[in-house]
Amino acid sequence: MLGILVFVLAACGGHPKGVLTPVADTAPDSSRVNMLITTTRSRSANPGEMYSGERAQAATFADMTVSIPPDTVRKAGEVAWPKRMPPNPATDFATLKADDLDMAGAKSWLSASVRKTPDRSVLVFVHGFNNRFEDSVYRFAQIVHDSGVRSAPILVTWPSRGSLLAYGYDRESTNYTRNALENLFQYLYRDPEVKEVSILAHSMGNWLALEALRQMAIRNGELPAKFKNVMLAAPDVDVDVFRQQIDDMGKKHPNFTLFVSRDDRALAVSRRVWGDVSRLGAIDPEQEPYKKELEDNKIMVIDLTKIKAGDRLNHGKFAESPEIVRLIGSRISDGQTLTDSRVGLGDQILVATTGTAAAVGNAAGLVLAAPVAVVDQNTRDNYAGHLGGSAARTGGRAATTGGCDRTRPTAPGCPR
């Protein structure tokens, strides 16, 4: 029964798959964002997906251009996912270029792109938990466009399986990617053409960004002066661990801007998962000891609690509020909602009933979410993956259906 339900729900999901297959540039009024991508994800067998949520042995690179429709057909802060394939650049986000690069090609892209910026700067974005590859690409394109940033954009995308129930796997994937991100930071530090580096991280991506900066500071003795701004959006980071990370970076750390929201439901669940220790992105910055510590470390705080934007978990406000996105652009310029919004009501039920990071999911939550999937498109899109993961843990039949995709054809139980 589970296997049948997985198949049915997978067939009636949200946005179309394979959106990264390049299309012709048929909308002269659209905007274009060209970005460098570095990833520790494995290649997908589907060219339209490019990369899966599994881990590669080494980092790889890509040169991508995303077309963004005019503001007359799209709200600022919104990713206009195509409703059908192929996408229409006049109304949808569309991929115009998706070229693989080797190391030499990535260095050449960086050199040419940095020279086009007014201040020889780069913006590095590290996405958060529960992001497929296309989620991170389109979300970063939206942020770059809506913020008006003129820095050379670099997307760092790590192996996330794009499921609310893969929290443990995603967390270990950030650890898996620490050295690769530090290597990027070290290259930007040594490249004389790069004068300034800004970093924007979201959710679990903050752990990755902070750990890479910490490693670099320990290895080099301090952080380079060209690392000007680090923006921490809804950081899923233990506040006690953050204290140590900041201390290890030394007194000459970058200018930190912290985006917090006390109504962030995703971080509330994370707090329960990790021993009831406060998550950095959900603190009250006016309460002690946080207020004094933030002042002592010269960390600017933007409290988004009252902002009515972002996904239903209040975890993506930084990207989906037009004012906040413009603030990010201003912050970068002055110094030199992120998960995707496809979170359904059923996902909220699953989050609320998931008790530990190791658990794939709560059976009661899946049962409660099932009726919601019938009427809620976002839940339908994610539900099949939840069921497949749950059955894989319990030895159910859906492990054969949900776990044998093209990226893992040799998984136990897959048909040969």
Side-chain angles (χ1 to χ4, degrees):
M1 180 62 182
L2 280 177
I4 295 173
L5 195 53
V6 168
F7 177 79
V8 172
L9 291 172
C12 56
H15 71 70
K17 306 304 181 191
V19 297
L20 300 182
T21 299
V23 298
D25 187 1
T26 57
D29 294 335
S30 66
S31 301
R32 293 152 195 81
V33 174
N34 177 241
M35 68 181 75
L36 175 66
I37 292 174
T38 178
T39 183
T40 51
R41 295 174 183 256
S42 291
R43 292 291 304 202
S44 170
N46 182 351
E49 294 176 352
M50 288 190 70
Y51 291 96
S52 71
E54 305 308 302
R55 299 165 186 159
Q57 293 185 350
T60 53
F61 306 91
D63 174 5
M64 298 194 69
T65 299
V66 176
S67 172
I68 298 178
D71 294 342
T72 54
V73 299
R74 180 192 71 96
K75 295 180 182 178
E78 177 183 87
V79 173
W81 289 96
K83 295 178 176 60
R84 62 187 62 86
M85 297 296 287
N88 177 4
T91 58
D92 310 324
F93 275 46
T95 304
L96 302 182
K97 179 169 66 174
D99 296 340
D100 294 324
L101 295 176
D102 57 15
M103 179 70 76
K107 292 178 179 178
S108 177
W109 183 99
L110 180 63
S111 177
S113 298
V114 166
R115 286 199 298 268
K116 296 177 184 177
T117 68
D119 51 4
R120 301 294 181 97
S121 63
V122 301
L123 170 63
V124 178
F125 176 55
V126 186
H127 67 77
F129 163 61
N130 185 27
N131 266 229
R132 300 180 182 92
F133 180 69
E134 67 265 26
D135 296 336
S136 62
V137 171
Y138 278 13
R139 177 57 73 193
F140 187 38
Q142 174 258 312
I143 292 171
V144 171
H145 175 269
D146 291 347
S147 66
V149 169
R150 293 192 288 173
S151 304
I154 302 176
L155 169 63
V156 176
T157 173
W158 45 275
S160 167
R161 284 180 173 166
S163 169
L164 288 172
L165 302 180
Y167 188 95
Y169 175 87
D170 278 21
R171 174 73 176 199
E172 291 305 311
S173 290
T174 61
N175 292 330
Y176 183 80
T177 307
R178 281 181 298 187
N179 290 346
L181 182 55
E182 187 202 344
N183 288 340
L184 172 65
F185 288 164
Q186 295 283 10
Y187 181 83
L188 296 176
Y189 160 56
R190 293 191 300 267
D191 187 344
E193 289 190 297
V194 176
K195 303 302 182 183
E196 293 188 2
V197 178
S198 293
I199 301 164
L200 172 62
H202 179 231
S203 182
M204 196 180 284
N206 285 276
W207 168 260
L208 172 55
L210 289 167
E211 279 294 284
L213 288 170
R214 173 182 173 272
Q215 284 186 185
M216 185 180 188
I218 292 173
R219 196 182 310 276
N220 296 13
E222 63 180 5
L223 286 174
K226 69 168 66 175
F227 281 64
K228 296 289 187 181
N229 291 299
V230 177
M231 291 157 285
L232 311 175
D236 187 1
V237 177
D238 183 310
V239 291
D240 296 330
V241 175
F242 179 66
R243 291 186 182 102
Q244 290 190 336
Q245 291 171 322
I246 290 293
D247 187 58
D248 288 343
M249 291 180 203
K251 296 188 179 300
K252 295 182 179 180
H253 61 66
N255 298 317
F256 281 99
T257 302
L258 172 62
F259 295 87
V260 302
S261 184
R262 295 188 299 281
D263 62 351
D264 190 317
R265 298 173 186 171
L267 294 182
V269 172
S270 180
R271 174 173 177 162
R272 293 198 297 271
V273 166
W274 295 106
D276 201 32
V277 178
S278 296
R279 313 311 288 173
L280 181 61
I283 65 171
D284 184 343
E286 293 302 314
Q287 297 295 318
E288 299 294 355
Y290 308 124
K291 184 175 182 179
K292 185 177 188 305
E293 290 175 342
L294 293 168
E295 290 174 352
D296 290 346
N297 287 290
K298 297 180 174 59
I299 297 175
M300 178 183 292
V301 182
I302 309 295
D303 192 340
L304 306 182
T305 303
K306 295 183 180 180
I307 298 293
K308 302 303 179 186
D311 56 55
R312 294 181 181 180
L313 298 179
N314 297 320
H315 194 52
K317 292 183 180 182
F318 83 104
E320 297 189 19
S321 166
E323 294 79 13
I324 299 304
V325 173
R326 284 192 288 270
L327 179 63
I328 290 172
S330 175
R331 180 67 176 153
I332 295 172
S333 299
D334 290 344
Q336 30 158 318
T337 27
L338 5 272
T339 60
D340 183 70
S341 61
R342 294 176 294 103
V343 178
L345 177 59
D347 295 299
Q348 296 181 58
I349 294 173
L350 289 168
V351 169
T353 57
T354 300
T356 65
V360 173
N362 186 296
L366 289 170
V367 171
L368 289 170
V372 179
V374 177
V375 297
D376 184 79
Q377 178 174 309
N378 293 325
T379 300
R380 286 201 306 270
D381 191 35
N382 298 329
Y383 196 67
H386 298 332
L387 283 173
S390 179
R393 285 292 298 266
T394 59
R397 180 174 178 79
T400 302
T401 308
C404 300
D405 58 26
R406 283 167 292 193
T407 63
R408 293 185 294 164
T410 60
C414 294
R416 297 296 194 270

